Amino acid sequence: MRIRILSTVAILVFCLFLSDSAFCDELFERAAIRNRIVTLIRGEQFAELEGLCATYRTSKSRTSSGIWHLTVFYSGVSSAFDSSHKEQDFWLKADHSAKKWIANYPNSATPHLAYARMLLNHGWSFRGAGYANTVEPQNWKPFFDYVQQAKGYLEKHKDIASSDPYWYELMAIIAYAQGWPDSEFSKLISEGLQREPVFYQTYFAAIDYYAPKWGGSILAIEQFAREGLEKTRSTEGFAMYARIYWYASQTEFGDRLFSESLVDWAAMKKGIDDVLTRYPDSWNINNFAKFACLSKDKAKTAELIARMNDAPLMAVWGEPLFFQQCRVWASS
């Protein structure tokens, strides 16, 4: 579920070792969109950026696994303002380019959101991606300064920018960074989901906020997953419940999802079926087969492994031995 930044070359090399073209098509599509966005931003091709984002936003189109193209677009925006850059010259140029985009399209949500993302990434360039105890003391102030600048900018331009659901994702990231109280955070998320109830990234940003390792709880995650299920049940079935816990497994629980969380396997299994009805691609099938095995549901594991038309994806299973153990167990 999480959008990972992979280069086209890395994906090509990876896919050479796979027989599953559907999985590679998914990876190539994501990488191609991201790389295109980075190239367009660096070339200041603002008209093309506007056209792409408007199309993704209005059509709500998805990749073969169900990820919003709009999410991949903004992943590309974030990559263009890569927080690994420490040199001041890079950020001066980024600031100038983003402001030029805004000047050309002041009434579009996209450049305002790109500018806020740039501010956030500039802040993260000081903080780094590690735990708090790894951050140099002098780097906290610039980090929080840029987070606050991003918040102020998003609030100032809310009338325009919040027409895009990414506004709420960015604000949720800011809320997490600033440690907003639950009541204020809940109000933000409720408003965002009222405007766009099936934008996955709003739910995932909330899971980051509710994660136990950052002061949340497994009960808060389960309650939020249930709320997401009810909010989207008429259009998504149980799919949102499955996707939320899929994301939680990536960011919080890992393979311990069924021992350390309050996930309801019966509900998640229904969600798996609902996801696969609309998005029966190899990436989804492999991940859900792994979940079925971890949950010790032999019948569901056998069913999903039988749907794998090609070799198992080791990007999902980790080790061939684990897949073989699940396969043999499910067929016994």
Side-chain angles (χ1 to χ4, degrees):
M1 296 296 296
R2 178 179 289 177
I3 299 295
R4 294 182 174 87
I5 307 300
L6 295 172
S7 70
T8 303
V9 173
I11 291 170
L12 177 59
V13 172
F14 182 61
C15 287
L16 288 174
F17 293 92
L18 294 176
S19 61
D20 193 332
S21 61
F23 177 59
C24 290
D25 287 346
E26 170 77 9
L27 287 179
F28 269 121
E29 181 181 15
R30 296 186 194 183
I33 293 172
R34 281 195 299 266
N35 292 342
R36 184 181 183 188
I37 299 311
V38 171
T39 299
L40 291 174
I41 289 176
R42 291 176 179 170
E44 298 187 342
Q45 301 298 307
F46 303 131
E48 191 167 349
L49 287 162
E50 287 293 318
L52 278 172
C53 193
T55 297
Y56 293 153
R57 184 164 51 237
T58 56
S59 68
K60 303 181 183 181
S61 59
R62 315 288 184 93
T63 68
S64 63
S65 70
I67 297 297
W68 284 52
H69 284 128
L70 187 65
T71 291
V72 187
F73 177 95
Y74 283 117
S75 177
V77 170
S78 186
S79 295
F81 305 125
D82 189 349
S83 62
S84 67
H85 286 279
K86 308 298 182 183
E87 62 275 18
Q88 187 62 18
D89 184 58
F90 172 85
W91 294 107
L92 288 172
K93 290 179 179 178
D95 186 89
H96 175 78
S97 181
K99 286 178 176 175
K100 187 175 178 181
W101 187 356
I102 293 166
N104 278 270
Y105 294 92
N107 296 318
S108 167
T110 314
H112 293 294
L113 295 171
Y115 185 71
R117 178 80 261 185
M118 185 275 298
L119 291 172
L120 282 175
N121 284 11
H122 195 173
W124 281 98
S125 74
F126 288 95
R127 187 202 181 284
Y131 286 101
N133 61 5
T134 67
V135 180
E136 296 293 333
Q138 69 272 16
N139 289 336
W140 282 113
K141 185 179 186 304
F143 167 68
F144 285 119
D145 284 348
Y146 278 108
V147 170
Q148 182 59 36
Q149 285 183 46
K151 178 176 182 285
Y153 189 84
L154 288 170
E155 290 176 337
K156 180 179 179 180
H157 297 279
K158 181 178 181 181
D159 287 349
I160 294 173
S162 66
S163 62
D164 187 311
Y166 188 56
W167 187 92
Y168 292 94
E169 181 186 349
L170 288 178
M171 287 296 291
I173 293 170
I174 290 167
Y176 156 73
Q178 293 185 328
W180 289 14
D182 286 355
S183 58
E184 191 175 350
F185 181 77
S186 180
K187 181 180 178 181
L188 170 72
I189 295 299
S190 293
E191 181 182 316
L193 296 179
Q194 181 67 33
R195 297 189 67 171
E196 181 46 78
V198 293
F199 188 62
Y200 300 150
Q201 300 307 124
T202 307
Y203 293 91
F204 300 160
I207 292 303
D208 289 335
Y209 177 89
Y210 291 128
K213 66 183 175 184
W214 304 123
S217 69
I218 59 174
L219 178 60
I221 290 178
E222 171 62 10
Q223 289 174 336
F224 184 73
R226 290 289 175 179
E227 291 171 8
L229 167 59
E230 293 308 316
K231 188 175 291 291
T232 60
R233 193 169 183 171
S234 63
T235 57
E236 301 275 308
F238 279 70
M240 191 63 74
Y241 188 88
R243 287 191 182 274
I244 285 173
Y245 269 109
W246 183 355
Y247 181 81
S249 75
Q250 290 183 316
T251 59
E252 178 70 21
F253 302 109
D255 290 348
R256 307 174 309 281
L257 179 66
F258 297 99
S259 61
E260 296 187 2
S261 79
L262 296 177
V263 60
D264 178 349
W265 172 242
M268 188 171 181
K269 183 160 62 171
K270 290 179 182 178
I272 285 172
D273 291 339
D274 288 334
V275 171
L276 292 179
T277 296
R278 297 177 67 182
Y279 305 105
D281 80 327
S282 295
W283 177 249
N284 290 344
I285 292 170
N286 273 258
N287 274 281
F288 291 150
K290 180 181 178 182
F291 283 128
C293 185
L294 290 170
S295 75
K296 304 187 186 306
D297 186 329
K298 182 180 287 190
K300 194 64 176 177
T301 304
E303 173 198 327
L304 292 170
I305 287 178
R307 294 183 64 174
M308 293 165 50
N309 297 323
D310 296 286
L313 304 177
M314 289 303 106
V316 174
W317 295 93
E319 297 291 338
L321 178 60
F322 178 47
F323 169 76
Q324 290 300 331
Q325 289 173 335
C326 289
R327 185 184 62 79
V328 171
W329 167 74
S331 61
S332 63

